[in-house]
């Protein structure tokens, strides 16, 4: 069953956006593609975690010999970026 979803907008404030959406060949498909892309976006936490993992994988750490010292303030400064 098909359903219709609507949204409200200010004709003056959102005029450029509405004109742009109306210029799309298939407005519904365009809006769906934007929503899907937004849902697939990675959060900042995922991006930071991936970059930290990449940095750590490049380091040749022998954890058996010595546990690496991690300063929590360094992690906090990364997260504050």
């Amino acid at each position: 069953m098909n359903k219709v979803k609507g949204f409200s907008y200010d004709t003056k404030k959102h005029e450029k956006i509405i004109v742009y959406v109306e210029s799309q060949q298939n407005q519904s498909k365009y809006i769906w593609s934007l929503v899907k892309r937004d849902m697939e976006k990675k959060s900042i936490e995922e991006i930071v975690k991936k970059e930290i993992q990449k940095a750590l994988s490049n380091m040749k750490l022998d954890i058996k010999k010595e546990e690496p010292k991690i300063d929590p303030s360094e992690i906090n400064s990364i997260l504050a970026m």
Side-chain angles (χ1 to χ4, degrees), residues 13-38:
K13 184 177 175 183
H14 302 115
E15 181 179 12
K16 288 182 181 180
I17 296 169
I18 297 305
V19 167
Y20 183 79
V21 170
E22 288 175 345
S23 74
Q24 301 303 308
Q25 188 171 11
N26 184 331
Q27 296 172 30
S28 181
K29 186 176 180 180
Y30 174 72
I31 292 169
W32 276 108
S33 70
L34 290 177
V35 171
K36 286 179 184 178
R37 186 173 29 174
D38 190 49

Side-chain angles (χ1 to χ4, degrees), residues 3-16:
K3 290 186 174 187
V4 175
K5 274 288 183 205
F7 57 93
S8 62
Y9 57 91
D10 183 314
T11 55
K12 298 280 187 210
K13 184 177 175 183
H14 302 115
E15 181 179 12
K16 288 182 181 180

Side-chain angles (χ1 to χ4, degrees), residues 63-79:
I63 297 176
K64 292 177 186 171
K65 288 183 181 178
E66 179 181 328
E67 222 174 285
K69 305 280 189 265
I70 299 174
D71 183 355
S73 67
E74 290 177 13
I75 294 173
N76 289 334
S77 68
I78 291 171
L79 295 176

